[in-house]
Amino acid sequence: MKFRLTLAATLVLGALPLKAHAQMQPWLADRRYGEGIGVRVGNLELHPGISGEVGYDSNYFLRAKDDAIGPVISAYRLRVTPSISLATLGQERQLGISPAGPAPLQFRAGAYASYNELIAADSRYSTQVSDQRHLDAGGDLNLNVFPAGRVGADAYLNAIHVVQPSNDTDTENAFDRDSLRVGAGATWRPGGGLFSWRLGYELLYSFFEDDPYKDL
């Protein structure tokens, strides 16, 4: 069983007053809790940010207690994630331009990179654990047409690179993968938007960079 205690701190430039939106950070998926008003660039908003986490992983390689491959190895973890996003104007600024409501076309694009540093809790395994330091990355694009209309549409594209270890300390046998997710949908909002119905379709493709069982 894993126990993880995370202390997170977010620095968002141009974030005063703080509004409930968040950066596209892997540890904070809901933009409402980590993003400020942003920096206006013409009719767009720029949201740069950086976050940090520290934690403890009691079994980084996901091994059983009596695993023949090796012992259970715990590690201290540090993750630093700079990120940036560009979007159409948010609600505060949009009200000053169009009191009638949000723009008929909204979009948001963002990217992040996460540096992961690992330190063995037991110095005997320092080399095996330090070899696991890695960089995750991702980006996304979201489009929303008529977000407040009776009928609207949306489309999105997400790409991420994820590093995930196997129970083998050899990094060539890790489950590192690249995933691409694309989808679109149409939304119907009868009764002034009190209820909404969405019909959509999504495709997800994952590519594993290494095959842990290629030599078996």
Side-chain angles (χ1 to χ4, degrees):
M1 179 178 179
K2 291 194 171 208
F3 172 75
R4 184 175 179 181
L5 174 64
T6 300
L7 300 177
T10 304
L11 171 65
V12 181
L13 306 182
L16 298 175
L18 182 64
K19 165 72 172 90
H21 293 306
Q23 292 285 27
M24 189 194 65
Q25 296 152 346
W27 61 277
L28 188 58
D30 193 337
R31 287 193 298 272
R32 295 177 301 170
Y33 299 108
E35 186 175 274
I37 195 172
V39 180
R40 182 166 180 174
V41 183
N43 289 326
L44 301 174
E45 287 181 0
L46 185 66
H47 293 271
I50 186 169
S51 66
E53 294 173 276
V54 292
Y56 173 77
D57 194 325
S58 63
N59 188 1
Y60 183 74
F61 295 103
L62 303 175
R63 290 173 175 171
K65 187 174 183 180
D66 299 318
D67 200 320
I69 294 179
V72 172
I73 298 177
S74 56
Y76 301 106
R77 305 186 65 172
L78 169 65
R79 179 163 63 179
V80 179
T81 305
S83 61
I84 191 167
S85 65
L86 185 66
T88 48
L89 296 182
Q91 183 177 357
E92 298 93 337
R93 291 192 174 106
Q94 193 61 243
L95 289 175
I97 298 174
S98 176
L105 174 62
Q106 295 183 347
F107 89 94
R108 183 184 184 91
Y112 74 89
S114 290
Y115 174 72
N116 295 262
E117 178 66 35
L118 294 110
I119 303 170
D122 188 331
S123 60
R124 291 178 297 173
Y125 308 113
S126 295
T127 300
Q128 294 97 316
V129 173
S130 62
D131 286 346
Q132 301 295 320
R133 61 171 63 100
H134 60 273
L135 188 71
D136 298 324
D140 70 351
L141 175 64
N142 296 273
L143 300 174
N144 200 340
V145 182
F146 300 121
R150 180 179 293 271
V151 178
D154 64 90
Y156 54 88
L157 173 67
N158 306 104
I160 60 172
H161 168 72
V162 178
V163 174
Q164 180 181 341
S166 67
N167 55 8
D168 188 346
T169 58
D170 191 338
T171 56
E172 292 185 358
N173 293 332
F175 294 111
D176 301 353
R177 62 187 182 276
D178 302 293
S179 296
L180 180 66
R181 185 170 67 104
V182 59
T187 302
W188 178 45
R189 307 178 185 91
L194 181 59
F195 296 99
S196 63
W197 303 82
R198 183 181 182 276
L199 178 65
Y201 191 79
E202 178 180 293
L203 293 173
L204 174 64
Y205 173 76
S206 293
F207 171 74
F208 285 84
E209 298 177 3
D210 301 302
D211 181 3
Y213 307 107
K214 58 181 178 296
D215 295 328
L216 296 182

